[in-house]
Amino acid sequence: MVDAMAKIAEKADNDDLVLQARSDADALGRLYELYYERIFRFCVHRLFFKEVAEDVTSIVFLQVARKISSFRGQTEADFRNWLYAIAANHANSYIRKASRRNQLLEKTAQSISADCKDNSSQPDWTKLYSAILKLKPKYQTIVTLRFFENFSFSQIAKITNARQTTVRVGLHRAIKKLRYHLQRVVDGGR
Amino acid sequence: MFKNEDDFKNLVDRLEIDDKPNTAHRQNLHRQILSVFNETQQSPSPPILSWQTLGRTIMKSKVTKLAAAAVIISAVSLLVWLSTNQDYSNGAKPISYFNLLSEVRAAEQNLFYQDGISHIVNEIVVYQTPEEILPEDEEQTEIQKGIDTAHSFLEYNWLPMCSVQANGQLRFNQLQLSSDETQPYTIVDESWYDPATGKFARVLKVDEQVFFANSYDGQFVYSSQTAPDGSIQLIKEQAADSFTPPQNPAEFLGITAGMPSDISEESGAPIQEIQEGALADGTPVRIVTAGFTDMFGDLKAYWMFKIRRDGNIVAEMEFVIDGNTQFLIRRVAQEIVDAPDISWHLDMLPQEVNEEQEEPKAKVQTDMVIPDVSIQHMVERAGFETYVFTRNPSWTGAVEIIDCIDPASLGQRMFIFASRADDGRHLVLVQSPTYNKMLGNFATSGQLVYTSPNGFKVWGGGPSKWYSQILLSSARSAIKDPPSEDRIGFVLESPAGTFPALAVNGPLSDAELQNLIDSLIPAKEYQQE
């Protein structure tokens, strides 16, 4: 009971924080501290390399800082959806540049080769990421939000500005393709 | 590996991922964002949107250009196609308004009336939509959100196609083609027609699998249907007493089947260029480029028809958006045979699901267009607030309502009101989810022309001639005449927050406009007298 009340109070506080952040630097700073680690982890899950994730995380929060004064959301949930939408867009933008995508694929392939002494048929993060990277960026986003960030279909739909049914169908397709790509990676194909 | 989503989730949860952030980076970034924030607090407020600013916003990114072009051309193609094909019934004379494609279709018609059974094979090569490149500093403006939502239809490409029903009427379908593949793929469209009996059979295949079929064996009409498990089932219906075997097979079996035939200067449509050329094998052809320009006057989306000099038959048709080929449709075989390779009653169906196959690349959505529906039908199907005129203007005739798929809003419908006027000032009102999403920002940056006591606002200004041309062209089946030079268009803003689009094929006085708008009521409140 006490925990539930504490959560309600926290939610109300965070909603207020979002409203204050439009014009108050301290409030923006506190929102940043609340979400920095989550967005950084999201970027690592999307971009694999921490230094790349740091760059994109910077771009995301700097954009937030520029745009927060015109942000129309009222609640923390609104802010979170907006923040992740920006992060997803920038991660996709990074990956869509073919040269970068090829670089990521090459680097992960090297990592897999370096670890070839590990003959386990169970995929590790490097192999899984290599398979995820073969999906189209929109599917990478949905997979990451669902399985790494643990968002609901409703939340993912808001973040990606799509319908829930579109998200569900997209995830279903992505999983099928991922299974295929991951098997090839584990078997040694690229 | 993993069998399902739960399995995959378990796999992810067991992964060891180094995702711990760097403290120094965190602290540095904190300082930077506060610095940027303080700078923006001292900046002036953003400029008021104008049509020019909107234009620059749209043209800034490739995805919005593609979206704007694709949304318009898909809606236009759909609606212009509709105006071409709606009149077919029971062997009535072919619809053909104007010259070019009508000549071609007439030439193709001859192919089906040889001594023997015609066997035609076309291929549709589907290319992939290029990945959109987002601008570095994408702004999540309402305009952008609206356009991005509208372009979600880019998840698949589509072509119109017809099938024949047991009552002899054409059914207007949508051939949906996945744009999610990594490589181009080919649809094979194969048909047989016996002019002596009117029997026909048509199958569409991808990867050797049938995904659509339609036939008439002299007694029954057969149509395929995709079951929930993905298998293709066959529906067999006794041909109605009034059924007449198709007299114009080119209209639904030929390479131009489903394409607009009223391509000419008089229709206000869109021949952009005609030049001489050749196919890959050197066969001389006439190359005709036809398409609508977008609101900025650019031809971003168009069809290229390659018409053989010998015989006037279309050899290839290519659909291009923003320099990228979306489809290439080509004739690969035409011959006279003694018997079809399949039975007239399609006994190769039902077809089981291929478990090894990934998501189907192609499928057919039926009832892309349903002509002449009632107001009650519209109320039940729309999914958004729709409006009707309580009284038709004195200068127009009866209203026809057409229910069609909204190509840019998946799974939703668009409704076209068309009313023909004896003095030529035909009236068209279009209501759709896509217009509701996209027109709002355009409208409210235009000029407020009138506010009605019933809560409607009428917005003018902007490229009204451009979109009134599209609206009027879309309703050609009902209004018959091409868009006139003095046409006028408005975007309406309803009390419910929807944005119907209105076009009149001629001048409209202030009093006439006000009477028209004042007469609008929610369709659900309409009571037939």
Side-chain angles (χ1 to χ4, degrees), chain B residues 252-419:
Chain B
F252 70 103
L253 295 177
I255 195 172
T256 61
M259 293 306 300
S261 65
D262 61 339
I263 296 179
S264 75
E265 296 304 323
E266 289 90 341
S267 67
I271 294 179
Q272 303 293 337
E273 189 180 26
I274 300 178
Q275 56 183 323
E276 300 301 317
L279 299 178
D281 64 4
T283 305
V285 292
R286 201 169 26 152
I287 302 177
V288 178
T289 302
F292 283 90
T293 54
D294 64 17
M295 68 180 79
F296 307 107
D298 296 326
L299 185 67
K300 294 295 183 183
Y302 55 86
W303 280 96
M304 268 200 320
F305 299 91
K306 293 181 184 170
I307 303 166
R308 296 175 67 111
R309 275 298 191 185
D310 58 346
N312 228 17
I313 304 289
V314 173
E316 283 182 5
M317 302 182 338
E318 190 174 342
F319 184 54
V320 180
I321 294 180
D322 213 25
N324 296 298
T325 299
Q326 306 294 301
F327 314 114
L328 178 65
I329 306 173
R330 57 190 173 209
R331 170 68 45 78
V332 295
Q334 57 195 48
E335 59 180 352
I336 302 300
V337 297
D338 293 329
D341 296 340
I342 62 175
S343 69
W344 296 120
H345 47 265
L346 303 176
D347 57 8
M348 76 286 198
L349 294 177
Q351 180 177 269
E352 297 300 321
V353 177
N354 180 355
E355 293 292 342
E356 298 300 315
Q357 193 181 20
E358 291 193 17
E359 201 69 27
K361 295 185 174 98
K363 57 184 177 183
V364 172
Q365 170 76 45
T366 53
D367 288 333
M368 184 168 70
V369 175
I370 308 173
D372 205 11
V373 301
S374 67
I375 293 175
Q376 184 59 30
H377 170 106
M378 181 176 71
V379 169
E380 289 167 5
R381 296 258 296 184
F384 59 95
E385 186 81 82
T386 51
Y387 293 85
V388 297
F389 301 109
T390 48
R391 55 188 181 278
N392 292 333
S394 57
W395 40 275
T396 69
V399 169
E400 180 180 344
I401 306 174
I402 303 160
D403 167 3
C404 55
I405 200 169
D406 185 338
S409 293
L410 290 175
Q412 301 195 63
R413 312 294 295 184
M414 172 191 293
F415 296 91
I416 306 162
F417 269 50
S419 182

